Amino acid sequence: MIKSEICDLLGIKYPVFQGGMAWISDASLASAVSNAGGLGLISAINYGVDEVRQEIRKCKKLTDKPFGVNIMLMNPFVDDIAQMVIEEGVSVLTTGAGMPSKYMKDWLGAGIKVIPVVASVAVAKRVEMMGATAIIAEGSEAGGHVGNLNTLVLVPQIVDAVSIPVLAAGGIADGRGLASALILGAKGVQCGTCFLVANECTIHENYKKKVLSARDSDTIVTGKRFGHPVRALKNQFTKQFADMENDNTVDDKTIMDFGSGSLRKAVKDGDEKMGSFMAGQAAGLICESKPAKDIIELMVKDAEELLRKGHQFIY
Ligand code: TUI
């Protein structure tokens, strides 16, 4: 059995979080992960405030275990969502793509555990100062919005820089990833890409097929020109986006308009050509769809075996 202080802190069985993936992480996936003993997260980006509220209420009906909400801080509705999660009695929040400074006092005052996703030591130190409960250190192997540093170097540097628990994210999709993260000093992991193919994940079948057939170098980061780098599976959309952003004669607005709605096209329509199929580099490790419970239990069982065998290298 793999356990850490984050389990006691949040009341969960396994130290495995499911990433709050925009347009993807709904009550179906989050409740399946929480029922399996991990921490399920609902994404607050695909809808307006009322839709997210409904998703939270649905999740409460589907699980009696703890679950959380991910707040993407570039979301235009963020102020209203920040207030709504307090009203709904959400117990855990993760934040991403920015600094949660403005909301920390209200959230902590409401007794919410706040776990920001960060991609650098400087931001980790700042959110610790603001009272964060724990930190998710996300390396650039991750899918979606990414920073610059890889998980292997980011996690131990953040572990050394802060006193609160650190979870590792980015490139983790199996027991080897979980065991490695624990060795790096993390108290758990957050995984997104491996849950894309969970049976309870409601994305279009074409999205799942693309993840299952992806090889090691099938992802690309686009959007650096705007300071919003995003990792997704390569296709016609990412090729055209990359060509446009490398072309100085194309203005920013044209590219932004081109990208607008592309994640929804992937998730809802399965548009293989023009959808943005956000996924991490771990996609190449994922070969099979199964229930979220099986994904988590296999990951934990394999990590346990690996950690037990660690002494083989010591002479
Ligand atoms: O947030 C993510 N990943 C995401 S959000 C998202 S939504 C979206 N994005 C583009 C198009 C359509 C939808 C998709 N993927 N990960 C968490 C994360 N946060 N990674 C890096 C950071 C981060 C970066 C800078 C956190 C804080 C930060 O602070 C810098 C500062 O000073 O503001």
Side-chain angles (χ1 to χ4, degrees):
M1 166 92 163
I2 299 265
K3 205 173 172 294
S4 81
E5 65 191 76
I6 201 74
C7 299
D8 298 328
L9 195 61
L10 302 181
I12 56 177
K13 186 172 176 193
Y14 301 123
V16 178
F17 292 12
Q18 158 248 316
M21 297 170 280
W23 282 97
I24 295 169
S25 300
D26 58 7
S28 169
L29 181 60
S31 62
V33 169
S34 288
N35 282 330
L39 185 76
L41 269 304
I42 290 174
S43 161
I45 198 183
N46 36 337
Y47 315 101
V49 184
D50 289 334
E51 286 86 351
V52 182
R53 194 192 294 273
Q54 292 315 318
E55 217 54 32
I56 293 168
R57 291 184 181 176
K58 211 190 285 179
C59 199
K60 282 182 193 158
K61 290 203 180 109
L62 293 170
T63 183
D64 56 1
K65 303 275 193 310
F67 69 90
V69 173
N70 171 257
I71 300 194
M72 201 280 214
L73 294 159
M74 287 170 5
N75 184 339
F77 306 113
V78 62
D79 285 351
D80 295 336
I81 288 170
Q83 188 53 42
M84 179 273 291
V85 290
I86 297 175
E87 291 160 15
E88 290 301 310
V90 171
S91 58
V92 186
L93 288 177
T94 62
T95 65
M99 297 300 288
S101 336
K102 194 174 154 191
Y103 311 104
M104 287 300 273
K105 192 168 156 282
D106 287 350
W107 288 340
L108 296 172
I112 300 177
K113 297 185 174 76
V114 186
I115 310 182
V117 181
V118 307
S120 70
V121 170
V123 175
K125 283 183 173 170
R126 281 171 66 194
V127 298
E128 180 183 40
M129 295 267 288
M130 290 173 204
T133 313
I135 287 172
I136 300 169
E138 187 183 87
S140 57
E141 297 93 322
H145 182 84
V146 287
N148 287 320
L149 295 164
N150 293 341
T151 305
L152 188 65
V153 293
L154 180 69
V155 172
Q157 292 186 73
I158 292 186
V159 165
D160 287 349
V162 301
S163 311
I164 52 179
V166 176
L167 289 103
I172 299 164
D174 60 20
R176 294 169 293 185
L178 171 56
S180 310
L182 297 174
I183 299 276
L184 292 177
K187 304 294 183 197
V189 294
Q190 173 171 282
C191 307
T193 305
C194 70
F195 287 116
L196 288 173
V197 302
N199 293 353
E200 299 87 350
C201 182
T202 57
I203 58 175
H204 197 283
E205 275 306 310
N206 289 352
Y207 204 140
K208 294 191 180 189
K209 279 189 203 143
K210 280 187 81 68
V211 173
L212 291 168
S213 61
R215 291 161 306 172
D216 55 355
S217 41
D218 281 347
T219 69
I220 184 170
V221 175
T222 57
K224 285 188 180 152
R225 170 163 152 184
F226 312 102
H228 298 305
V230 167
R231 183 181 297 285
L233 293 168
K234 290 176 187 168
N235 64 354
Q236 186 180 319
F237 169 74
T238 58
K239 168 94 177 65
Q240 281 181 242
F241 196 103
D243 287 347
M244 284 166 100
E245 75 173 326
N246 290 330
D247 183 345
N248 289 337
T249 66
V250 183
D251 62 275
D252 285 3
K253 185 174 179 306
T254 305
I255 306 173
M256 293 292 208
D257 289 348
F258 175 75
S260 169
S262 56
L263 179 58
R264 196 197 58 76
K265 279 184 208 160
V267 174
K268 300 290 178 197
D269 308 337
D271 184 341
E272 294 189 53
K273 288 185 178 153
M274 297 315 289
S276 172
F277 292 84
M278 293 186 192
Q281 290 179 321
L285 285 168
I286 297 159
C287 317
E288 207 188 346
S289 272
K290 49 189 154 193
K293 185 171 191 291
D294 294 3
I295 296 173
I296 294 175
E297 286 180 354
L298 181 64
M299 184 183 295
V300 169
K301 177 178 148 288
D302 285 351
E304 182 176 337
E305 274 173 28
L306 288 166
L307 290 169
R308 281 191 201 286
K309 282 195 275 186
H311 64 84
Q312 70 185 292
F313 300 109
I314 301 167
Y315 286 91

